[in-house]
Amino acid sequence: MRRALALSLALAGAPAGAVDLTALTGPERAAFRAELRAYLLDHPEVIEEALSAGAGERRRYEEKVTDDLALLESNAEALFDAKGDWTGGNAEGDMPLTAFVGYGCTTCAAAMSGLDALTAEDPGLKVIVKDIGPEGDDAAARFAQAVLSLAGPDAYRRAQAALFDAPAHDAAHLAGIAERLGLDPSALGARMDAPETRAKIARTRALADRLDLGPPPAYVLPRTMVRGDVPPVALSRIIAAMRAKR
């Protein structure tokens, strides 16, 4: 009985692990239940506190979801309809997915490969890619945007693959990538430094910050934000669930 009482007190507030709950015999378990029931009858405020804590957690979760949905709604045009982003899959598809990728990111190359696989399997998927780089270290993102602007979407994807593989993104490595792509390094350099290119990367960074996406990769759908790297099968299931709710 003393052991059952100790267990009751442990559940009521003693440090976790103070009593081994798995070591109870049948009679001890029955005694424990009786003691616990008696304790809760004498102290109903314990139940109220537990329920209040659970309700508070649910409210916080609901508020976070509401905040995220409001953010998505207010930033929908910048996310899904901004000009100048690389777009793949079905441009008229029913499900837009915006991916934020960076070139210092160790998993972003695999993330892009996963998106390619998804678009091959899902004829209704529209993929938008936004290049992001930390402030003061966004040369690779600006380079990718310069290639897209000057040479088009196919060259952009080749440049993207080269940027993922490059050991560094300094001027020499970027010039080497440009030459391998058959592009003029000086023209790309000028476009990289153009005010509109810098402004576009700054807008993308600000958008990611507003959405609190964290480091890339990150994925945004019309009513869902996926912060962090996830396998393609998980994205596919999220997309299927969103379509089923329509």
Side-chain angles (χ1 to χ4, degrees):
M1 180 66 71
R2 285 194 300 272
R3 187 176 186 181
L5 180 58
L7 285 168
S8 300
L9 295 175
L11 288 183
V19 182
D20 182 5
L21 298 178
T22 65
L24 291 176
T25 65
E28 286 175 330
R29 187 174 291 106
F32 163 68
R33 289 172 177 167
E35 290 290 343
L36 181 58
R37 182 176 185 277
Y39 179 86
L40 293 176
L41 288 173
D42 288 342
H43 302 278
E45 70 276 6
V46 172
I47 298 175
E48 294 175 4
E49 289 171 5
L51 292 174
S52 296
E57 189 63 29
R58 284 194 301 274
R59 281 195 299 272
R60 285 190 291 273
Y61 175 77
E62 291 168 357
E63 289 169 0
K64 177 62 175 172
V65 170
T66 300
D67 290 345
D68 280 356
L69 290 174
L71 279 170
L72 289 173
E73 184 175 352
S74 62
N75 290 282
E77 183 175 356
L79 282 164
F80 307 117
D81 296 308
K83 294 180 180 179
D85 291 329
W86 181 90
T87 302
N90 182 355
E92 304 300 325
D94 70 313
M95 184 60 64
L97 182 157
T98 296
F100 289 73
V101 300
Y103 299 101
C105 160
T106 58
T107 59
C108 284
M112 286 303 302
S113 295
L115 290 176
D116 289 340
L118 277 182
T119 56
E121 297 171 359
D122 187 339
L125 184 63
K126 173 186 177 181
V127 173
I128 302 112
V129 174
K130 289 188 177 291
D131 295 306
I132 189 168
E135 189 170 3
D137 188 22
D138 59 6
R142 289 187 289 113
F143 181 88
Q145 284 297 303
V147 172
L148 179 61
S149 176
L150 292 176
D154 292 338
Y156 167 84
R157 287 306 304 273
R158 296 197 303 274
Q160 189 177 67
L163 289 167
F164 287 137
D165 288 340
H169 298 131
D170 55 24
H173 282 90
L174 294 179
I177 293 172
E179 290 171 356
R180 290 196 299 276
L181 294 172
L183 301 174
D184 180 3
S186 61
L188 284 174
R191 185 56 61 95
M192 283 176 63
D193 290 333
E196 57 269 27
T197 304
R198 290 184 177 276
K200 187 174 191 300
I201 298 301
R203 287 195 302 271
T204 299
R205 189 187 309 117
L207 177 60
D209 289 344
R210 283 198 302 276
L211 299 176
D212 193 24
L213 292 179
Y219 310 91
V220 182
L221 295 116
R223 293 180 61 80
T224 301
M225 287 188 278
V226 182
R227 298 174 173 96
D229 192 24
V230 296
V233 64
L235 284 176
S236 179
R237 289 172 181 167
I238 292 169
I239 292 167
M242 291 183 64
R243 284 182 171 135
K245 290 179 181 179
R246 288 179 173 175

